[in-house]
């Protein structure tokens, strides 16, 4: 086995945000030398990695030149220059997840086509090269309201997704490539994280349930285990495994799904990296998703994905009406609650609904944990000076 620990081996990471910061906790435990590329000198990783490079993740030369300085390359964000990764891979650099997987996943239209082509259950959709084409389709009776509009590229945390109920809702949307997806009346939004290494060893984490903020369309609570029937949980894990298998995926893959009223499972979308739905694993699981990411890309044995205890994650997002230097109000009040662990991402500047941190609540009783999560959400406030 290659010597990754206390050695000259250099792990490159594209992206230096909060996911990278939490990944660095694990590389530091194993004394793996880590080099980060990010466009912001204030990135959460900037002060704590072994080596920091400032640059645009979508610029070919920047990504290519960074790749030439490392021994293995991974990501913490999928919006990166894939052409540069293709070239680096051709030249022999190991890159996980694989560039061909990233190319499909970073475009929601391509991702949805992949599911259809590989018989993975997903909501029906129509693909449009630009918004005007979608408007013409509605005018010609080819698309019916309501539907879910999704931008094909660069959506995150609820941006790039909108439920369109009438023609007026189409006004002001970005002009570019998009999909119109059938609105699924679902019981629950679920997620399953799958880890797979080069040897083909594959493991899934337990199914989690996600509760969303009604206005921001971003995850507010992640609940593990999901409060669903065992048969539905089994089906969700099987579907997630099929997605990873069809991609031939190496690394960590988060698969978001809908549980329909008839208890069918439909894949919503996948993220080829550590994910918001797995943050609870740091406190609640035997192996955190971040440690598992390191294990999977380095082809090490995968860790135990079982939970030690029920866990709930609450996202800490910037309060509405607050933009500026951040203040975390009432933090000491939540630290008094047993089983509560805050994670602050290191972003100095807050704005409405920006993800600034998260809090994990662990408890033997999932319902008690959920009640404490509500208390945390109502207590701590992310405001500006």
């Amino acid at each position: 086995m290659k010597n990754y620990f206390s050695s000259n081996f250099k792990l490159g990471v594209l992206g230096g945000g909060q996911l990278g910061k939490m990944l660095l906790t694990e590389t530091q435990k194993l004394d793996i030398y880590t080099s980060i590329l990010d466009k912001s000198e204030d990135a959460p990783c900037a002060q704590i990695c072994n080596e920091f490079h400032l640059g645009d993740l979508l610029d070919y030369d920047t990504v290519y030149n960074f790749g030439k300085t490392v021994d293995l390359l991974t990501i913490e964000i999928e919006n990166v220059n894939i052409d540069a990764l293709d070239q680096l891979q051709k030249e022999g650099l190991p890159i996980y997840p694989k560039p061909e997987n990233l190319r499909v996943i970073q475009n929601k239209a391509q991702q949805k086509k992949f599911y259809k082509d590989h018989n993975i259950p997903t909501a029906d959709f129509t693909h449009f090269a630009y918004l005007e084409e979608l408007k013409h389709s509605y005018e010609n009776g080819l698309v019916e309201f309501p539907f879910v509009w999704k931008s094909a590229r660069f959506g995150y945390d609820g941006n790039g997704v909108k439920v369109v109920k009438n023609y007026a809702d189409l006004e002001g949307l970005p002009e570019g490539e998009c999909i119109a997806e059938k609105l699924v009346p679902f019981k629950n939004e679920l997620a399953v994280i799958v880890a797979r290494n080069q040897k083909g060893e594959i493991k899934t984490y337990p199914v989690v349930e996600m509760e969303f903020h009604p206005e921001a369309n971003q995850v507010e609570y992640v609940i593990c285990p999901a409060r669903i029937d065992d048969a539905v949980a089994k089906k969700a894990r099987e579907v997630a495994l099929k997605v990873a298998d069809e991609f031939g995926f190496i690394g960590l893959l988060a698969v978001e799904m809908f549980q329909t009223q008839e208890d069918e499972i439909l894949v919503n979308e996948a993220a080829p990296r550590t994910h918001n739905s797995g943050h609870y694993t740091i406190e609640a699981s035997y192996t955190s998703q971040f440690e598992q990411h390191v294990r999977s890309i380095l082809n090490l044995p995968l860790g135990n994905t079982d939970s030690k205890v029920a866990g709930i994650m609450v996202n800490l997002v910037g309060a509405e009406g607050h933009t500026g230097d951040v203040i975390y109000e009432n933090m000491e009040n939540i630290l008094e609650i047993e089983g509560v662990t805050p994670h602050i991402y290191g972003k100095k500047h807050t704005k409405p609904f920006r993800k600034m941190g998260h809090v994990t609540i662990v408890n033997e009783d999932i319902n008690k944990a959920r009640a404490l999560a509500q208390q945390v959400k109502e207590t701590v406030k992310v405001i500006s000076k």
Side-chain angles (χ1 to χ4, degrees), residues 108-181:
K108 286 196 170 80
Q110 297 303 323
Q111 196 183 141
K112 291 284 285 187
K113 284 178 180 171
F114 181 90
Y115 300 144
K116 287 289 187 192
D117 291 347
H118 291 84
N119 297 317
I120 292 163
T122 192
D124 288 335
F125 72 101
T126 313
H127 174 215
F128 300 99
Y130 42 89
L131 188 65
E132 210 53 40
E133 195 183 354
L134 166 54
K135 288 178 179 174
H136 290 324
S137 290
Y138 167 70
E139 285 156 6
N140 292 319
L142 301 173
V143 177
E144 288 178 14
F145 297 128
F147 59 82
V148 181
W149 167 88
K150 289 184 180 177
S151 173
R153 295 289 304 273
F154 307 122
Y156 68 97
D157 291 349
N159 292 300
V161 179
K162 183 174 179 175
V163 177
V164 174
K165 295 174 185 156
N166 51 50
Y167 196 82
D169 284 346
L170 290 170
E171 297 306 318
L173 290 177
E175 291 297 327
E177 186 187 7
C178 60
I179 59 173
E181 190 175 275

Side-chain angles (χ1 to χ4, degrees), residues 5 8 26 33 61 78 115 124 156 167 186 188 208 253 264 291 309-310 325 331 349 358 360:
F5 320 110
N8 293 328
E26 301 303 332
Y33 189 98
D61 290 338
E78 55 270 37
Y115 300 144
D124 288 335
Y156 68 97
Y167 196 82
F186 55 83
N188 286 305
V208 301
L253 183 72
E264 290 305 311
E291 180 184 338
V309 65
D325 294 342
M331 191 63 94
H349 194 80
H358 74 263
T360 310

Side-chain angles (χ1 to χ4, degrees), residues 77-377:
I77 184 169
E78 55 270 37
N79 288 323
V80 298
N81 190 298
I82 309 292
D83 292 339
L85 298 187
D86 285 339
Q87 185 56 36
L88 287 163
Q89 187 173 249
K90 269 187 207 146
E91 292 175 19
L93 182 68
I95 302 173
Y96 304 113
K98 294 179 281 191
E100 59 264 33
N101 291 164
L102 294 177
R103 193 179 286 284
V104 173
I105 289 173
Q106 73 170 204
N107 183 303
K108 286 196 170 80
Q110 297 303 323
Q111 196 183 141
K112 291 284 285 187
K113 284 178 180 171
F114 181 90
Y115 300 144
K116 287 289 187 192
D117 291 347
H118 291 84
N119 297 317
I120 292 163
T122 192
D124 288 335
F125 72 101
T126 313
H127 174 215
F128 300 99
Y130 42 89
L131 188 65
E132 210 53 40
E133 195 183 354
L134 166 54
K135 288 178 179 174
H136 290 324
S137 290
Y138 167 70
E139 285 156 6
N140 292 319
L142 301 173
V143 177
E144 288 178 14
F145 297 128
F147 59 82
V148 181
W149 167 88
K150 289 184 180 177
S151 173
R153 295 289 304 273
F154 307 122
Y156 68 97
D157 291 349
N159 292 300
V161 179
K162 183 174 179 175
V163 177
V164 174
K165 295 174 185 156
N166 51 50
Y167 196 82
D169 284 346
L170 290 170
E171 297 306 318
L173 290 177
E175 291 297 327
E177 186 187 7
C178 60
I179 59 173
E181 190 175 275
K182 187 179 174 187
L183 191 63
V184 176
F186 55 83
K187 271 189 207 173
N188 286 305
E189 293 203 46
L190 308 172
V192 175
I193 290 176
V194 185
R196 189 166 177 267
N197 63 18
Q198 290 157 260
K199 294 187 199 106
E201 186 186 1
I202 191 162
K203 290 193 176 185
T204 62
Y205 280 86
V207 185
V208 301
E209 177 186 342
M210 299 185 291
E211 290 184 21
F212 280 72
H213 187 286
E215 289 157 52
N217 191 31
Q218 64 183 192
V219 178
E220 207 163 18
Y221 300 97
V222 171
I223 301 164
C224 183
R227 297 163 297 184
I228 56 175
D229 290 345
D230 288 348
V232 175
K234 182 171 181 283
K235 197 185 292 183
R237 285 175 108 154
E238 284 168 357
V239 168
L241 283 168
K242 181 171 169 61
V243 174
D245 213 42
E246 295 291 352
F247 272 122
F249 198 84
I250 293 167
L252 208 74
L253 183 72
V255 184
E256 296 181 41
M257 311 163 180
F258 298 122
Q259 175 191 358
T260 69
Q261 300 295 342
E262 296 76 38
D263 289 338
E264 290 305 311
I265 294 292
L266 299 178
V267 173
N268 178 22
E269 56 190 55
R273 51 172 168 76
T274 53
H275 192 253
N276 200 236
S277 65
H279 289 351
Y280 77 93
T281 60
I282 299 172
E283 278 76 35
S285 306
Y286 286 99
T287 311
S288 82
Q289 66 165 342
F290 299 96
E291 180 184 338
Q292 198 76 294
H293 179 85
V294 173
R295 286 171 177 251
S296 61
I297 62 172
L298 300 183
N299 205 23
L300 300 168
L302 298 181
N304 182 354
T305 54
D306 292 346
S307 297
K308 303 175 197 171
V309 65
I312 293 190
M313 184 218 65
V314 180
N315 272 327
L316 292 181
V317 301
E320 288 182 84
H322 287 271
T323 300
D325 294 342
V326 66
I327 296 173
Y328 294 88
E329 202 173 59
N330 303 328
M331 191 63 94
E332 63 282 7
N333 298 8
I334 67 164
L335 287 166
E336 286 174 353
I337 307 168
E338 202 168 308
V340 164
T341 307
H343 293 256
I344 305 298
Y345 296 156
K347 299 172 183 177
K348 306 290 186 263
H349 194 80
T350 184
K351 57 186 178 185
F353 300 120
R354 187 183 192 197
K355 277 188 194 162
M356 301 296 289
H358 74 263
V359 181
T360 310
I361 298 95
V362 294
N363 197 285
E364 295 295 333
D365 179 349
I366 190 75
N367 295 318
K368 181 82 198 306
R370 179 64 183 80
L372 291 173
Q374 189 76 37
Q375 189 182 335
V376 166
K377 187 78 184 173

